[in-house]
């Protein structure tokens, strides 16, 4: 039994080092977004290691369920995840600007944190120019599955965001918000 445990552990170490080396290669050959998304599909501990090495502030006991998707990864220093936080599968993190996730935050599967808006070269660009702004999620908050948080939103601490909500505006501490667009339902 000891031999099997040793071989299994050795395999995990070799696999994680291989994934990390491959991530560095993909990042160099293609771009940082492709490199980090390679890890975001394959191995959470190696992803956390690469995020930390790239300058992201990742707290203790952070649980990232893979796969997740990163967008506009030019500077990993824009990402902060507090202690004991959870990021669910298929979460989309747009790093055009900073994303700050507090301590003990749960972001359920399929959620999107969007830090920029760009309508491209269409005629709408006059009315809706390019814009980017950070997203801040306060401590002890919970985002239900498939929640969307748009650029410039600061969620207060101890917030509960219902599933499939679209959050357009910042909120105070200790509230339940829900809907499209999300509105304050009650204090918690």
């Amino acid at each position: 039994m000891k031999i099997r445990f040793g071989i299994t552990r050795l395999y995990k170490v070799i696999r994680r080092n291989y994934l990390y080396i491959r991530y560095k290669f993909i990042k160099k050959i293609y771009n940082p977004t492709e490199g980090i998304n390679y890890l975001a599909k394959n191995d959470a501990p190696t992803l956390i290691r690469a995020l930390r090495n790239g300058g992201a502030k990742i707290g203790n006991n952070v649980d990232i369920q893979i796969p997740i998707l990163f967008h506009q990864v030019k500077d990993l220093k824009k990402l902060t995840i507090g202690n004991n936080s959870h990021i669910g599968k298929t979460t989309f993190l747009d790093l055009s600007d900073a994303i700050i996730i507090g301590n003990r935050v749960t972001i359920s599967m399929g959620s999107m944190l969007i830090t920029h808006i760009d309508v491209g070269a269409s005629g709408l660009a006059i009315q809706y120019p390019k814009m980017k702004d950070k997203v801040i999620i306060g401590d002890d908050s919970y985002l239900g599955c498939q929640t969307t948080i748009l650029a410039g939103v600061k969620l207060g601490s101890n917030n509960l965001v219902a599933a499939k909500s679209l959050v357009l505006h910042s909120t105070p501490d200790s509230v339940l918000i829900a809907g499209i667009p999300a509105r304050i339902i009650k204090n918690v």
Side-chain angles (χ1 to χ4, degrees):
M1 197 56 127
K2 277 187 169 182
I3 294 173
R4 181 175 170 86
F5 177 74
I7 292 171
T8 301
R9 188 172 189 168
L10 178 64
Y11 168 76
K12 286 181 180 180
V13 169
I14 291 170
R15 181 174 185 274
R16 287 186 177 144
N17 284 326
Y18 165 76
L19 290 171
Y20 190 75
I21 291 166
R22 186 155 177 176
Y23 148 73
K24 295 290 250 184
F25 175 76
I26 292 169
K27 178 181 166 186
K28 186 172 184 119
I29 298 299
Y30 296 103
N31 61 54
T33 302
E34 292 298 321
I36 208 73
N37 280 328
Y38 169 75
L39 288 180
K41 292 184 282 189
N42 285 294
D43 187 62
T46 309
L47 172 63
I48 291 171
R49 173 182 166 196
L51 291 171
R52 285 182 175 141
N53 288 345
K57 295 177 189 88
I58 310 293
N60 297 323
N61 299 318
V62 169
D63 177 32
I64 298 177
Q65 298 290 307
I66 58 173
I68 66 171
L69 184 62
F70 290 88
H71 182 61
Q72 298 290 332
V73 178
K74 294 181 181 132
D75 184 6
L76 286 172
K77 293 176 185 168
K78 294 179 181 177
L79 180 63
T80 301
I81 304 173
N83 297 325
N84 303 305
S85 291
H86 168 85
I87 299 177
K89 291 181 180 186
T90 66
T91 296
F92 178 89
L93 301 173
D94 172 10
L95 290 175
S96 297
D97 207 325
I99 294 177
I100 301 168
I101 300 167
N103 296 316
R104 299 168 305 281
V105 170
T106 297
I107 299 174
S108 297
M109 64 191 109
S111 294
M112 295 191 287
L113 280 59
I114 311 291
T115 61
H116 85 287
I117 297 170
D118 183 358
V119 296
S122 73
L124 294 170
I126 296 166
Q127 190 174 4
Y128 301 102
K130 290 181 184 179
M131 185 272 282
K132 66 180 184 173
D133 201 354
K134 62 187 164 191
V135 169
I136 301 172
I137 312 293
D139 294 342
D140 301 302
S141 292
Y142 175 86
L143 278 62
C145 67
Q146 297 183 348
T147 297
T148 301
I149 311 291
L150 293 185
V153 170
K154 180 180 188 266
L155 287 180
S157 296
N158 200 39
N159 277 354
L160 176 62
V161 182
K164 295 195 175 188
S165 294
L166 172 62
V167 184
L168 303 171
H169 305 289
S170 297
T171 62
D173 294 344
S174 301
V175 292
L176 165 64
I177 59 175
I180 301 175
R183 299 174 206 262
I184 296 174
I185 304 300
K186 67 178 185 175
N187 292 327
V188 291

